[in-house]
Amino acid sequence: MTQEPLLSVKNLTVEYVTPRGNVRAVDNVSFEIGRGEVFGLAGESGSGKSTAAMAAMRLLQPPAIITGGEVLFEGQDILAMTDEELRFFRWKKIALVFQSAMNALNPVLTVGEQIADVLRTHEGMAPAPALERASELLQLVGIEPSRLKSFPHQLSGGMRQRVVIAIALALKPPLLFMDEPTTALDVVVQKEILQQIAELKDQLGFSILFITHDLSLMLEFCDKVGILYAGRLAEIAPAKQLFGDPQHPYTRGLMHSFPELHGSRHRMEGIPGSPPDMRQPPKGCRFHPRCKEAGPECELHLPRLVELGANHYGACVKVTPSQIPKNPQQKEYRS
Ligand SMILES: Nc1ncnc2c1ncn2[C@@H]1O[C@H](COP(=O)(O)OP(=O)(O)O)[C@@H](O)[C@H]1O
Ligand SMILES: [Mg+2]
C-alpha cells in the first residue's frame, strides 16, 4: 500500500475576475507532496506559481476565485474548510515564507518578542518559556541568541529572512510553503539559507513546497519538480530525471536560460518571445507560439500530461508518441 501524500492538489483552477474578462491563472494543476519531501514549482514570472500556492492555503483575495479542484491535506480538503478550521490550520499545519516576508517584520518589536508572540498567541505559552523557545528557534536557523533583543533594522536581509523562517517553524508545521524565499538576497546568502533549510528539513522532517523562477536552485534542493507554463503544468518528474532528461521544449528552453549549476557559465539562450496574455491564451498548446519544435498539430488541442517514463509526465504532443511508442498502457496523469 502506498502512503497517503501529505498534500494532494487535484485539478486546481483559479481565475482572476477582471473587467475585460476572466484570467485563468492556474488551470487544472495537480501534484502531490509526500512526507519529508521537497516539491518544486518552477516557471517564468507570471506562470501562476504564487497564485497556486496562495489558493492552496486559501489566502487568495478577490478578484481571485478558485473555480475548481481540491487541495487535500492528510485527506482533508482545505478548500472546503470553515474559517475556524482554517484559522487552526494555517501556521500550525502549513506555514508560509514569501520573498519579501523579511520586510513584513514589525519594525518596533524585537525579533525575540515577535517570535514569542506567535508562541503565546497560538500555543498559549507564558512569556518566559516563549522567550526561551524563541531563543532556541533563533539558534536553529543559525542566529546567535543574543540577537533576541535586536530590532529588524539592526539585522541584515539574510538574517531577517532567517528570523521569518524561525517564525514559520515555531509551531512545528509538517509543511512549509516557500515562495521565492531567497530571491531578494545575494547569491551567497541564498545558498547558505537554502543549505540551512535543507538541514532543518532532514532534522525536523517537514515537507516543502518550494517555488522559484530559478531552475538552478531546484536540482539540489527538490525531490520532485513541476514546470508551470501559463497556468498549466508542462512537465512533472523527479528532479534528477527532469534535469537529466527534460522532455518538454519549454523545460529545455528554461534550462538553457540559466547558467549551469556546477559548470562554467555559458551564454544564456533563453526562450524567444514572452508568455501569453492570459486573457486570450493561444489555442492549443499554450507554448506553441514560442516553441521551436511546434507543428500545425500543436494549435489544435490543449495537450494533456501523459506518462513519459517512471513518474515522469509531460504535456506535449511532440514528445509523447516518440517516447513510448505503441504503448497502449500509456497512462494519463491522474486520469
Ligand atoms: N490581481 C490580479 N488581477 C488579474 N490578474 C492577475 C492578478 N494577479 C495575478 N494575475 C495574473 O495571474 C498570473 C499569475 O500570477 P502569479 O501567480 O503571481 O505568477 P508567478 O508567481 O508565477 O509569478 C499573472 O500572469 C497575471 O496575469
Ligand atoms: Mg510569484
Side-chain angles (χ1 to χ4, degrees):
M1 203 180 88
T2 53
Q3 211 189 7
E4 180 189 58
L6 184 63
L7 188 83
S8 179
V9 173
K10 298 184 178 180
N11 305 109
L12 183 64
T13 301
V14 186
E15 297 184 6
Y16 287 95
V17 179
T18 79
R20 290 191 288 162
N22 285 13
V23 173
R24 186 172 281 196
V26 175
D27 188 1
N28 255 292
V29 166
S30 303
F31 58 85
E32 288 175 350
I33 308 179
R35 281 162 213 279
E37 203 169 62
V38 183
F39 178 76
L41 203 51
E44 283 165 292
S45 180
S47 55
K49 305 181 296 295
S50 297
T51 303
M54 296 294 272
M57 271 188 99
R58 283 262 303 275
L59 282 170
L60 281 177
Q61 303 286 337
I65 45 169
I66 297 170
T67 53
E70 289 179 331
V71 179
L72 305 177
F73 182 91
E74 292 179 332
Q76 192 187 2
D77 190 0
I78 298 174
L79 304 187
M81 282 182 186
T82 62
D83 288 349
E84 188 157 342
E85 284 170 325
L86 267 178
R87 262 198 301 280
F88 166 78
F89 184 84
R90 282 196 209 118
W91 300 112
K92 187 120 184 91
K93 297 292 186 184
I94 306 182
L96 174 67
V97 176
F98 56 96
Q99 179 181 339
S100 48
M102 60 194 191
N103 301 324
L105 290 170
N106 189 331
V108 299
L109 293 180
T110 64
V111 300
E113 286 165 336
Q114 296 189 54
I115 302 174
D117 250 8
V118 176
L119 295 162
R120 291 207 306 270
T121 310
H122 292 268
E123 306 265 279
M125 283 174 90
L131 215 54
E132 182 61 29
R133 174 90 181 112
S135 163
E136 289 168 18
L137 282 161
L138 274 189
Q139 288 179 74
L140 202 61
V141 296
I143 299 180
E144 289 279 311
S146 61
R147 291 293 195 169
L148 274 177
K149 295 194 172 71
S150 297
F151 289 92
H153 75 266
Q154 295 171 315
L155 305 178
S156 67
M159 276 173 125
R160 275 183 283 142
Q161 197 65 336
R162 284 173 191 264
V163 170
V164 169
I165 294 164
I167 291 174
L169 293 176
L171 307 181
K172 302 186 184 142
L175 179 59
L176 234 56
F177 277 14
M178 305 195 121
D179 188 351
E180 313 260 12
T182 59
T183 304
L185 304 168
D186 75 61
V187 178
V188 176
V189 178
Q190 259 192 36
K191 288 266 166 186
E192 283 170 7
I193 292 186
L194 289 179
Q195 181 62 37
Q196 181 115 42
I197 294 170
E199 282 165 21
L200 288 172
K201 182 199 77 107
D202 290 341
Q203 190 185 331
L204 304 174
F206 51 81
S207 310
I208 303 176
L209 171 65
F210 181 65
I211 292 177
T212 181
H213 65 280
D214 185 346
L215 270 194
S216 65
L217 295 177
M218 286 265 164
L219 176 59
E220 272 185 319
F221 198 55
C222 299
D223 300 301
K224 277 188 305 190
V225 173
I227 304 288
L228 212 52
Y229 184 77
R232 293 178 67 86
L233 277 174
E235 189 162 3
I236 184 165
K240 284 196 182 72
Q241 169 70 20
L242 188 87
F243 292 107
D245 191 20
Q247 294 294 322
H248 199 289
Y250 179 61
T251 310
R252 291 203 291 265
L254 264 190
M255 285 178 64
H256 284 120
S257 303
F258 289 99
E260 277 177 54
L261 209 53
H262 301 295
S264 60
R265 290 184 169 242
H266 58 83
R267 200 173 65 83
M268 297 193 202
E269 264 181 48
I271 303 166
S274 44
D277 177 352
M278 293 303 288
R279 280 167 309 195
Q280 286 172 312
K283 288 210 164 36
C285 173
R286 303 280 192 247
F287 185 57
H288 86 261
R290 300 172 74 190
C291 182
K292 282 188 224 161
E293 294 166 44
E297 66 273 38
C298 301
E299 295 177 37
L300 300 177
H301 305 289
L302 205 49
R304 304 185 75 85
L305 278 173
V306 294
E307 190 183 28
L308 303 172
N311 296 316
H312 191 160
Y313 294 82
C316 174
V317 293
K318 285 290 190 183
V319 294
T320 307
S322 62
Q323 287 306 305
I324 309 178
K326 303 189 194 75
N327 177 5
Q329 304 299 322
Q330 188 175 44
K331 278 192 285 185
E332 197 169 292
Y333 189 64
R334 302 179 144 279
S335 57

